Amino acid sequence: MKTKPGNFIKYAHCTDTVYYQFILKVIAIFFIGLVLIPVLAFSILDKEKTENKFKTEFRFKNYYDEAGNRKPNPEPQQIYGPVYSVGPLTVCAYLVKTELGLIMFDAGYDKDGSLIPDNIRKLGMNPKDVKKIFITHWHGDHSSGSARLSDISDTDILIHKDDLDIVKERVFTKDYMVPAKDRIVPLEDGEIFNFGDVQVKVIHTPGQTPGEVVYLLTVSGPQGKCHALVAGDATAMKSTVEEIEPNKFHGIVQAYEKTVGILKSLEFDLYLGGHPHQVFKEMREDGNPFVTREQWHRMVDNRNQQKIDFLVKHPEYINY
């Protein structure tokens, strides 16, 4: 049977179309591979670099057991090298042992009484040897216990200057307000403190409060030098009317938007947040405090989205 010229042309045209489609698919796959392979490789290497270099048995844990019962306050525990967790169940407090003495980062509620001093003693150290108490922000769950600890150790409480007056008037309990007031020292953005083998850098990150700061620490441990971020609650701006009203300050939205950029630019290995759930709920289910940049950025982006959603519902706060 002979093929008509018209049929041959149609057949050739169809063959050419299939061929060109195949070539285009190959080219597309090639270029997609050029983009995805480096991204995936970088992600894997970044994860391995963070998770394999530094090891710790410490985990941030859920507040409730499998039966839904609230767990008791945890025992103090070493996190990495000279860094220890000494706080109660739901809010973090960190002790760092240096060549020049002990330093504290946040101090929990005053209502927890002697919990933090007792935890320091359980680690074989003396709370009287605390040389400085660094506070991330004025909220009572982070700062009010510092007055009691300052009374024991006769040492300064350091907090950013923009939170200074609030701390003096609104946080400390009546019994401990007077001695603590005389020991409160204002911090400036960018200040650096050296404690021999430990360095502390102050980074102003307003949003949760006007004087919120994070502390970037350089410490050494079993796997070498480590950069730790004491982050407090800097990742969030209050995102309900009930929460923001007693905490708002002029320029809060613009301040927090700037803070998001600062937070995402930070490079660190060990995440030491203000509350355990910032890790086990939002970055790593296993509670490991060594997080990747991808996990960190995802957490900051999710927190920022909460702010965006809040402002959509309550635009009156946009230009506050």
Side-chain angles (χ1 to χ4, degrees), residues 4-290:
K4 296 180 180 180
N7 290 338
F8 177 78
I9 292 170
K10 288 180 182 179
Y11 176 77
H13 177 70
C14 180
T15 303
D16 289 344
T17 301
V18 172
Y19 175 75
Y20 287 129
Q21 287 178 345
F22 173 75
I23 293 298
L24 288 174
K25 287 180 181 179
V26 171
I27 293 172
I29 292 170
F30 175 74
F31 280 107
I32 290 172
L34 285 178
V35 174
L36 288 181
I37 290 174
V39 170
L40 292 172
F42 177 80
S43 177
I44 292 169
L45 289 173
D46 183 53
K47 184 174 182 181
E48 288 181 348
K49 177 183 176 183
T50 302
E51 294 186 353
N52 293 337
K53 180 178 180 181
F54 300 107
K55 304 292 183 182
T56 180
E57 297 299 319
F58 177 84
R59 295 290 184 270
F60 289 109
K61 297 178 181 178
N62 202 328
Y63 308 139
Y64 302 95
D65 61 22
E66 294 180 356
N69 299 312
R70 183 184 171 94
K71 294 179 181 178
N73 285 323
E75 292 295 309
Q77 187 178 351
Q78 185 179 31
I79 300 176
Y80 178 80
V83 183
Y84 299 82
S85 173
V86 293
L89 179 65
T90 59
V91 62
C92 298
Y94 304 103
L95 178 74
V96 180
K97 185 178 181 181
T98 81
E99 294 174 345
L100 303 182
L102 307 176
I103 53 176
M104 278 290 306
F105 293 89
D106 282 351
Y109 286 107
D110 180 69
K111 68 181 183 181
D112 289 315
S114 63
L115 183 145
I116 289 177
D118 285 347
N119 279 345
I120 294 174
R121 294 186 186 98
K122 287 179 181 179
L123 293 169
M125 304 178 213
N126 192 334
K128 291 183 179 181
D129 293 333
V130 172
K131 303 303 180 185
K132 300 288 182 186
I133 305 168
F134 292 91
I135 302 299
T136 57
H137 61 297
W138 72 258
H139 290 167
D141 53 339
H142 298 268
S143 67
S144 59
S146 62
R148 184 184 297 268
L149 186 57
S150 173
D151 204 21
I152 293 172
S153 58
D154 192 27
T155 194
D156 294 333
I157 300 169
L158 290 78
I159 192 165
H160 190 270
K161 61 182 182 179
D162 291 348
D163 274 3
L164 194 66
D165 292 337
I166 303 175
V167 165
K168 288 183 177 180
E169 301 302 329
R170 294 178 59 182
V171 177
F172 296 155
T173 63
K174 184 176 180 180
D175 292 340
Y176 288 92
M177 186 182 292
V178 177
K181 271 188 175 184
D182 298 331
R183 302 192 186 112
I184 300 175
V185 176
L187 291 172
E188 297 277 353
D189 181 39
E191 279 193 80
I192 294 177
F193 296 81
N194 287 295
F195 297 90
D197 54 338
V198 174
Q199 184 184 85
V200 179
K201 182 178 181 180
V202 181
I203 302 172
H204 187 207
T205 52
Q208 182 88 177
T209 72
E212 172 92 45
V213 299
V214 298
Y215 298 102
L216 191 60
L217 279 58
T218 303
V219 300
S220 294
Q223 286 84 45
K225 186 175 291 186
C226 167
H227 296 291
L229 184 71
V230 180
D233 292 340
T235 51
M237 187 187 93
K238 295 299 185 184
S239 54
T240 68
V241 173
E242 293 74 20
E243 288 181 322
I244 201 171
E245 272 303 311
N247 294 283
K248 68 183 181 181
F249 57 91
H250 288 290
I252 184 172
V253 174
Q254 293 74 20
Y256 180 67
E257 288 174 350
K258 182 178 179 181
T259 286
V260 168
I262 294 171
L263 293 176
K264 294 184 73 171
S265 72
L266 297 177
E267 294 189 17
F268 59 89
D269 310 293
L270 176 60
Y271 178 78
L272 305 173
H275 301 272
H277 66 256
Q278 293 168 1
V279 175
F280 70 73
K281 277 190 176 180
E282 300 183 72
M283 283 191 280
R284 293 192 55 152
E285 291 184 4
D286 65 356
N288 191 325
F290 287 105

